[in-house]
Amino acid sequence: MNSDGKTVRSPVDGIGFVHGERPLHIVAAHHASGKREDLRKKWLLDPAEVKQRRGTKTKPSAGDVIKTVEIANQQREQIPELKVTLALTTNKEPAEDLVRDAVAKGESEGITIDIWASSRIAHYLDNNPDGQWIRKKHLDIAQERLSKQLLLELSLASLKSAPLMTDPELLITRKLDDALSNQSPRPVTFVVGDSGFGKTAACIKLLKAHVDAGNYGIVLSHQTLLNHQTLNQAIDVELRNLHPDLETNAGIKARSFCSPDKPFLILFEDVNWSENPAMLLERLAFWSQVKDSGDSTAGKDWHLFCPVWPLTLASVRSQEAKNRIDSITVATSSFSEGEARSAIQLRAKQEGISITSLEADHIAEALGNDPLHIALLDLSGELEPKHVIKKFVRDSLDCLANGEGSYTITDYQMAFISLANEMLLRNTMNSIWQDVSHWLNYHSEHLTALRQILKDAKIVRLKGRDQALVFRHDRIRASILTDAATRLINREGFNVSDLADPYLSDVFGAALAE
């Protein structure tokens, strides 16, 4: 076809040279979709052997093999040693004598005949990973075997599901970016810094650049790693969460597509809120040391980044693991003054606000150069850091209430309080929708309001096959839980012993400060 969608006249349906092969190798293709009994004429008719009726001026069209022989003979006048292959495709099953005659004719003319009949095409589409990808694309039949094309699609889907506070277009270049880019020889890198310092954002930025370049990667949840001992198993589960029809052992297959210079990149999210962070950190330290993620090639074709808080890191008891983690750690902090200024000016530019460097410095100083506060900042609002997150939540709910939502902002706030109360009383930071719907079954209005908040996905969303609740940032979740904890503390008859669980000490500490 040409650019106008019209057929370009040619004696063959397709032709090209095999790149880099010597002697030169030309491949032609002819496609046949007519009746089975017409295949012999379609392939082998030689006009020179046809006896025409007297008065007939038009010669019959040559068969596909004969046309290819003519092309091959013309080309061999320039390249005598030329190799030629002719692929004959048909949605029928040719007779066995026709197959023999076609191959024999090709052999006599120095041409390899490669017949793709319906059964062979179906076998390729059903059993070959690349064939299954073609089958899905054109016939919408679920792909079960992992191909490079599907893995790239799943890498993009996993990346899209990753929590990111800032529009990718607003992610400034940081020193941290260069530090992470230089970690490729290591199988595991721990990115250590306090909450909101942009650790995950920097890792997502790196993963996005990797995938945009045609490479592969995934976001691995802490729950998946907690339930599976090896990296191969964990990758397999995450891929099948994204594509339930996928074959088992997809983790091994995914890594087979990668190499040391183009590794399978993994972002481990979020160890800080897992049930047993120390165990997971020790497991990662072990993998990085002895390269035992399930086979002897570990670390040669994959690289894992683990954002972690210093407080979480302190929970590791094994001195050997601590020493190993220290040796493969990249530390980060809040923005530098220059980085904070650039981030604020970029935000202002996107919002069409004119702002000087001096004004940007003033805002950055008020926010303590905090990446999260800058990401959430309403440039037209107040600059008190403790109010930035609360205002973001309030503005998001207000936008929902005045948009597609069917409840008031107060209704949405009360739904969040009901959810947070249940999470606090059950000592959990992580929950799935099945549990939440059971917890709030007593109040259908709150449950419906929460469904709308989840659909809006600005503050919290559902992720994965188990529909886990994922907040946009852990400090947003902490702010919501702190508001609920403050109400609980002020409630008559509140049991002080509920404050004793160290798992929630940050939340209740912030609530007491309130």
Side-chain angles (χ1 to χ4, degrees), residues 201-223:
C203 291
I204 291 175
K205 183 180 178 182
L206 181 66
L207 178 58
K208 184 178 186 303
H210 188 72
V211 173
D212 286 347
N215 303 308
Y216 314 112
I218 200 168
V219 179
L220 182 65
S221 75
H222 64 84
Q223 196 61 46

Side-chain angles (χ1 to χ4, degrees), residues 185 187 285-300 302:
F286 177 68
W287 287 357
S288 70
Q289 185 173 17
V290 300
K291 298 183 179 179
D292 182 14
S293 66
D295 62 61
S296 59
T297 63
K300 296 180 181 178
W302 60 274

Side-chain angles (χ1 to χ4, degrees), residues 297-352:
T297 63
K300 296 180 181 178
D301 52 36
W302 60 274
H303 190 125
L304 184 146
F305 291 89
C306 176
V308 58
W309 302 337
L311 188 63
T312 305
L313 207 56
S315 66
V316 176
R317 296 182 179 180
S318 167
Q319 189 59 48
E320 181 182 355
K322 283 184 177 182
N323 293 339
R324 180 58 185 167
I325 291 172
D326 286 343
S327 69
I328 50 176
T329 285
V330 171
T332 186
S333 59
S334 59
F335 281 152
S336 67
E337 292 181 3
E339 290 171 344
R341 182 192 312 120
S342 297
I344 292 171
Q345 288 179 318
L346 193 58
R347 283 284 309 278
K349 183 178 180 181
Q350 189 196 45
E351 296 179 20

Side-chain angles (χ1 to χ4, degrees), residues 138-241:
H138 296 286
L139 304 177
D140 200 28
I141 300 173
Q143 183 171 348
E144 298 158 357
R145 296 198 172 187
L146 188 66
S147 64
K148 290 183 178 180
Q149 298 96 327
L150 178 58
L151 183 57
L152 185 58
E153 290 179 2
L154 296 182
S155 297
L156 290 167
S158 181
L159 185 62
K160 189 176 180 180
S161 72
L164 188 58
M165 286 306 310
T166 306
D167 183 327
E169 299 299 321
L170 296 178
L171 290 176
I172 63 167
T173 300
R174 303 179 62 185
K175 291 181 180 179
L176 178 60
D177 298 334
D178 292 334
L180 295 182
S181 298
N182 295 327
Q183 302 301 307
S184 55
R186 302 176 177 178
V188 178
T189 296
F190 294 92
V191 188
V192 182
D194 288 329
S195 176
F197 279 2
K199 304 180 298 300
T200 301
C203 291
I204 291 175
K205 183 180 178 182
L206 181 66
L207 178 58
K208 184 178 186 303
H210 188 72
V211 173
D212 286 347
N215 303 308
Y216 314 112
I218 200 168
V219 179
L220 182 65
S221 75
H222 64 84
Q223 196 61 46
T224 298
L225 192 58
L226 190 65
N227 295 333
H228 298 86
Q229 292 294 319
T230 71
L231 184 62
N232 288 339
Q233 293 169 347
I235 295 174
D236 179 71
V237 169
E238 289 289 357
L239 290 176
R240 286 193 284 121
N241 280 339

Side-chain angles (χ1 to χ4, degrees), residues 345-382:
Q345 288 179 318
L346 193 58
R347 283 284 309 278
K349 183 178 180 181
Q350 189 196 45
E351 296 179 20
I353 299 174
S354 177
I355 189 171
T356 67
S357 296
L358 190 62
E359 289 171 328
D361 286 341
H362 172 69
I363 295 172
E365 183 180 4
L367 297 178
N369 296 337
D370 188 299
L372 177 64
H373 287 151
I374 292 174
L376 298 179
L377 177 65
D378 177 2
L379 287 168
S380 62
E382 59 181 305

